Amino acid sequence: MNGFISSGLSLLDSQELILSSLYLDEETVLADALQIILKEERTHLPVVSKEKKFLGVLGTADIMDSLVQGKFDPKGPITSYIRPVEWLLPEENSLLFNFDVLITEGWPTAFVVDSKGEYQGEFKFHDNLFLLYQLLNDLDFYISQTVEAVHNAVVAIDAQGRIVFFNPSAEKLLGFHAEEVLGKPIKTFFPDSLTYKALATGEELRGIPMSYGELNTKADFLPIVLGHKILGAVAVFKDITELEEVSHRLNSNEKLMATLEAVVENSYEGMVVIDDQENIVLMNQFFLDVIGVKVQDVIGKKINDISPNSSLPQTLKTGKAQFGETWHLKGRDFIIMRVPIEREGKVVGALAKTLFKNMEIAKMFAKKVMRLEENLAYYKEELGKFHSPQFVFDDIIGESPRMKKAKSLAYRASQTTSTILILGESGTGKEVFSHAIHKASIRSNGPYIKVNCAALPEDLLESELFGYEEGAFTGARKGGKPGKFELADKGTIFLDEIGDMSLGMQAKLLRVLQERELERLGGTEPIKVDVRIIAATNRDLHKMVMEHKFRLDLYYRLNVLTIDLPPLRERKEDIGFIAKGLIEKINKRLGTDIQGVRSESITHLCAYDWPGNIRELENILERAIVICDETWILPKHLALPGVMETLALDAEQTLEYALQAAEREILDKTLRRVQGNKVQAARILGIHRSVLYKKLAKYNIQG
């Protein structure tokens, strides 16, 4: 597909680019790199291999971070600081194409490589802007002269087949006025239009004989092409010398001119450019209005004749950029930047540009930035509160030997970064221990994230743990969502009820433990995480491994430091202390003022087996506090299944209570027998699973 291509644009396409030749060799040491960066006042520099291959960029911020963190090694290589970037352009790209890429992609700069991948130089926007401005002036003159010489009949259509150009010669030749045909489909007037055929096929039709009345002509029908895109088609009768003007109407040169004009003539920014002789070659209307002159009065004049205090000549001489300086002119203050314009390694001009229309906007911008920083700090603090642990080791009550041993081991474990496995029945305080371990660790300032592995189905658990990318599944949040592991980075994640995790999820969790990295659902790139894992379960993981219900390799990864929490029935000497602490907690929550538990009530509490452990004890005490009309909890206020002497009820109530106590005991023992499997328990008891759930809720039995 050849088509008609503007020769004016081809002039720009053949223009040699202005490339900066400054770069670092991959064997450069950090001290030399830092010296070059400071000397050149650069935010980044390209790095090239021995074979002249482009490797990436060395950022000033990365070196400064290493200096601040005390990791800077002057003799160390720069290789570990090299960051890959996507700002690459092939050498064969034209000047126009490169500008279009930088504007479209929003790149600050780009690096040019040849077909072999060898580094050719850095393409800077401002360095080439001055060149482009001069070329477009030449192009504008070139096209205007061409248009004036056009005398042939020309008809052009756009990509939709609508007539967009119909010159006077075409009116005479084809017998229609331009007002009749412009904007309308060409096939309305010429059903067998070869112009439309050239548009549809993308092929040229040259030298076609055409007859209109007594006039015989030869016509060319050509698609109008920019790059690989067909913008329209044109029919030229007799002479084709005015095709450049048609192309000028339809191709992207007009868009580029409008874009550049918008950049230069921005009403919110001033811009002035001087050449290597300090003569003004460009000054936009903003600057003209501020200075109070007309464009014809400044172009070609020395910058200091127009603005005596201008520092642009100094920028021209030193070749060093200056940012964020204050410029005072005619009672107004501006924040301004000045940068040199380089060509083939030589400074050929300088550009000055205001960063804000006035200081009030600058101050408003600064206030917004400060407000955003304050808001960010506030939300970080609030998020930290939300994901902060609630308990410390002082909150763990217990003086029994097994409890002291568990607390001692937990504290020692908190001083390490090892994975911890907490074992114990439901209600024994596994989550409280995980809170305390995190709070006492070096990660205490990091987030604490809890995940209940039994509360979520497998597909939802995966997205909760590892996050997902946008479009990973129907209903996925736009932009994706980070998982709990990402949220817990530099902190602790507590995986409760890990024994209920499926084998498939166990395999994915094992990778995080081994590699310290994960992939989001629907993602392709691994994400590094630095997370301390605390897992907990009320199941016998060793037995589950033997039954092939839990992965052996994951079990070994989790079973680094194991803390076994005793059930309440095995440390009844702690019940009095625990009850006192729980009453204080319940009083604060309910606004009550119960003094404590009488000694005879403690005796009753110790006589009970506590299958629900501390959680059940808290529920029993809360019920007692609610119904208690005295300042101390007495045996009559306690409702303990199987401890009949705790309630002085009438015979009918005693029978009902005895039946409930017996039912509760049967339910509890059955659940223990099947290790918490509710489906199997319902089958043994001969009741529906939903009935079992209701009874468990009624008696507050944790399965």
Side-chain angles (χ1 to χ4, degrees):
M1 180 173 67
N2 297 319
F4 167 69
I5 302 177
S6 167
S7 61
L9 285 182
S10 68
L11 293 177
L12 293 182
D13 289 344
S14 63
Q15 175 61 44
E16 187 175 346
L17 307 179
I18 298 176
L19 301 178
S20 171
S21 59
L22 182 63
Y23 64 87
L24 296 175
D25 187 83
E26 64 177 331
E27 294 183 351
T28 305
V29 297
L30 281 173
D32 293 341
L34 181 59
Q35 184 177 4
I36 294 172
I37 286 174
L38 294 175
K39 179 181 177 182
E40 300 296 333
E41 297 187 3
R42 298 289 297 271
T43 59
H44 61 264
L45 282 175
V47 182
V48 177
S49 70
K50 293 179 181 178
E51 296 77 20
K52 291 284 288 181
K53 303 291 185 181
F54 178 78
L55 300 178
V57 298
L58 178 67
T60 307
D62 295 334
I63 296 181
M64 292 307 174
D65 285 345
S66 69
L67 280 169
V68 173
Q69 297 173 9
K71 299 178 180 179
F72 183 78
D73 180 10
K75 296 182 180 180
I78 64 173
T79 50
S80 60
Y81 291 79
I82 299 174
R83 291 189 292 106
V85 293
E86 59 179 353
W87 312 331
L88 291 179
L89 294 172
E91 184 183 33
E92 59 269 20
N93 277 5
S94 67
L95 180 65
L96 275 176
F97 189 87
N98 286 345
F99 265 106
D100 185 60
V101 171
L102 262 64
I103 292 171
T104 303
E105 298 295 335
W107 292 353
T109 187
F111 302 103
V112 178
V113 295
D114 63 15
S115 58
K116 299 179 181 179
E118 293 183 1
Y119 180 68
Q120 300 300 308
E122 183 176 1
F123 181 91
K124 298 180 181 178
F125 186 92
H126 289 299
D127 292 354
N128 290 272
L129 179 63
F130 178 70
L131 171 64
L132 184 60
Y133 179 79
Q134 291 180 319
L135 290 173
L136 288 176
N137 277 337
D138 295 341
L139 178 60
D140 183 65
F141 175 79
Y142 173 79
I143 294 177
S144 66
Q145 293 298 310
T146 304
V147 171
E148 290 177 3
V150 169
H151 299 290
N152 295 325
V154 179
V155 179
I157 60 174
D158 63 12
Q160 285 73 44
R162 296 186 297 255
I163 299 174
V164 295
F165 185 80
F166 203 83
N167 73 347
S169 296
E171 289 181 319
K172 296 176 182 179
L173 176 65
L174 303 177
F176 294 98
H177 290 292
E179 293 79 4
E180 297 179 68
V181 300
L182 287 178
K184 298 176 182 177
I186 192 170
K187 298 187 77 172
T188 302
F189 304 94
F190 310 101
D192 300 320
S193 170
L194 295 180
T195 314
Y196 191 88
K197 183 177 180 181
L199 170 69
T201 63
E203 300 294 331
E204 299 177 352
L205 301 171
R206 291 186 177 273
I208 306 298
M210 305 289 293
S211 177
Y212 294 94
E214 296 180 356
L215 181 62
N216 295 320
T217 66
K218 283 190 177 182
D220 293 339
F221 302 91
L222 312 171
I224 300 175
V225 180
L226 181 62
H228 296 285
K229 184 177 180 181
I230 300 177
L231 300 180
V234 62
V236 183
F237 302 86
K238 288 188 178 181
D239 198 352
I240 63 169
T241 55
E242 62 180 343
L243 289 177
E244 288 79 4
E245 196 276 335
V246 177
S247 178
H248 178 72
R249 287 177 176 269
L250 297 177
N251 63 32
S252 63
N253 185 37
E254 189 174 83
K255 294 181 181 179
L256 181 59
M257 289 288 290
T259 301
L260 291 175
E261 184 179 354
V263 171
V264 175
E265 293 296 342
N266 190 333
S267 62
Y268 294 93
E269 293 179 325
M271 183 180 296
V272 59
V273 178
I274 64 173
D275 61 17
D276 57 353
Q277 301 300 315
E278 302 180 11
N279 297 318
I280 299 173
V281 295
L282 182 150
M283 183 178 287
N284 72 348
Q285 195 60 45
F286 181 97
F287 260 139
L288 293 171
D289 293 341
V290 170
I291 297 175
V293 295
K294 296 181 179 179
V295 65
Q296 58 266 29
D297 298 329
V298 298
I299 299 300
K301 302 291 181 63
K302 297 289 184 182
I303 182 66
N304 285 130
D305 292 340
I306 304 300
S307 178
N309 297 322
S310 173
S311 297
L312 264 183
Q314 185 68 17
T315 303
L316 189 66
K317 292 175 184 178
T318 63
K320 294 183 178 180
Q322 297 168 304
F323 300 92
E325 293 192 358
T326 302
W327 181 46
H328 184 79
L329 180 67
K330 293 189 177 182
R332 297 177 65 179
D333 289 320
F334 300 94
I335 294 179
I336 198 167
M337 61 171 284
R338 288 182 288 270
V339 295
I341 299 174
E342 298 179 5
R343 183 175 186 178
E344 297 178 354
K346 182 180 179 181
V347 177
V348 296
L351 176 146
K353 186 166 74 73
T354 61
L355 300 181
F356 298 98
K357 189 173 183 179
N358 54 52
M359 290 301 292
E360 292 303 317
I361 295 178
K363 292 175 182 177
M364 181 177 65
F365 180 79
K367 288 180 180 179
K368 286 185 177 181
V369 172
M370 293 176 63
R371 191 176 298 116
L372 287 172
E373 289 179 346
E374 291 171 357
N375 289 343
L376 179 61
Y378 169 77
Y379 288 122
K380 280 185 176 179
E381 182 180 353
E382 290 301 306
L383 183 62
K385 291 178 182 178
F386 182 75
H387 290 303
S388 294
Q390 304 172 8
F391 305 101
V392 296
F393 278 108
D394 289 342
D395 296 323
I396 301 175
I397 302 172
E399 297 300 322
S400 65
R402 286 189 63 184
M403 202 60 186
K404 284 183 176 181
K405 180 180 178 181
K407 284 197 294 183
S408 175
L409 179 58
Y411 181 78
R412 290 200 301 272
S414 70
Q415 305 305 299
T416 71
T417 59
S418 300
T419 301
I420 297 174
L421 177 62
I422 305 177
L423 303 176
E425 297 178 6
S426 295
T428 52
K430 297 187 291 296
E431 184 177 351
V432 175
F433 265 78
S434 73
H435 278 258
I437 291 170
H438 173 78
K439 193 67 177 177
S441 72
I442 59 175
R443 296 172 176 264
S444 58
N445 292 327
Y448 172 88
I449 305 294
K450 175 191 173 183
V451 181
N452 190 325
C453 301
L456 298 170
E458 181 177 358
D459 54 347
L460 185 56
L461 179 61
E462 181 177 2
S463 65
E464 281 294 306
L465 286 177
F466 308 125
Y468 56 81
E469 297 290 352
E470 181 177 342
F473 51 84
T474 302
R477 180 188 300 176
K478 186 176 182 180
K481 177 185 175 183
K484 300 297 187 184
F485 271 99
E486 288 182 68
L487 295 176
D489 191 44
K490 301 299 187 296
T492 301
I493 188 168
F494 175 52
L495 302 177
D496 198 11
E497 305 295 350
I498 197 168
D500 293 280
M501 183 179 287
S502 70
L503 290 171
M505 281 301 300
Q506 290 176 31
K508 295 174 182 178
L509 175 61
L510 180 63
R511 181 191 173 189
V512 179
L513 284 167
Q514 291 175 332
E515 308 296 336
R516 296 296 171 177
E517 66 179 24
L518 56 89
E519 283 186 10
R520 286 187 180 183
L521 194 64
T524 57
E525 296 294 328
I527 300 172
K528 289 288 185 181
V529 289
D530 177 16
V531 178
R532 204 285 180 72
I533 297 176
I534 302 177
T537 183
N538 60 0
R539 296 184 173 229
D540 186 344
L541 292 186
H542 186 266
K543 183 178 179 181
M544 292 179 68
V545 169
M546 296 298 103
E547 295 173 349
H548 303 290
K549 296 179 180 178
F550 201 86
R551 291 180 64 103
L552 179 62
D553 46 7
L554 178 59
Y555 175 70
Y556 285 136
R557 282 285 179 179
L558 294 174
N559 194 25
V560 178
L561 290 172
T562 302
I563 301 171
D564 194 358
L565 302 185
L568 188 57
R569 62 183 174 276
E570 295 179 9
R571 58 182 187 109
K572 292 186 176 180
E573 61 267 38
D574 291 332
I575 288 179
F577 301 109
I578 297 173
K580 180 181 178 182
L582 290 175
I583 289 173
E584 293 176 357
K585 173 183 173 182
I586 297 169
N587 277 334
K588 289 181 181 179
R589 187 170 73 244
L590 301 182
T592 53
D593 190 26
I594 298 298
Q595 299 299 308
V597 182
R598 291 292 187 188
S599 58
E600 57 270 29
S601 298
I602 296 294
T603 301
H604 282 70
L605 293 174
C606 291
Y608 183 52
D609 202 28
W610 297 111
N613 293 294
I614 298 174
R615 188 180 293 119
E616 184 181 12
L617 174 59
E618 182 175 0
N619 292 338
I620 293 292
L621 291 175
E622 182 171 346
R623 178 185 181 280
I625 289 174
V626 170
I627 66 174
C628 183
D629 53 1
E630 303 179 37
T631 58
W632 292 82
I633 295 177
L634 302 176
K636 66 179 182 179
H637 300 130
L638 301 173
L640 299 174
V643 186
M644 300 304 298
E645 62 273 20
T646 57
L647 294 175
L649 305 174
D650 56 49
E652 182 180 354
Q653 290 173 318
T654 302
L655 177 60
E656 179 183 357
Y657 186 79
L659 291 173
Q660 291 178 353
E663 185 178 43
R664 188 190 194 289
E665 186 173 359
I666 292 171
L667 291 170
D668 184 60
K669 287 183 177 179
T670 304
L671 273 178
R672 289 189 190 181
R673 175 183 167 189
V674 296
Q675 297 182 340
N677 189 318
K678 298 182 180 63
V679 176
Q680 192 174 351
R683 188 181 301 114
I684 293 174
L685 294 170
I687 59 178
H688 193 272
R689 186 169 50 180
S690 62
V691 176
L692 175 64
Y693 285 147
K694 290 180 181 179
K695 291 183 180 294
L696 294 178
K698 175 182 178 181
Y699 296 117
N700 192 31
I701 297 176
Q702 306 295 324

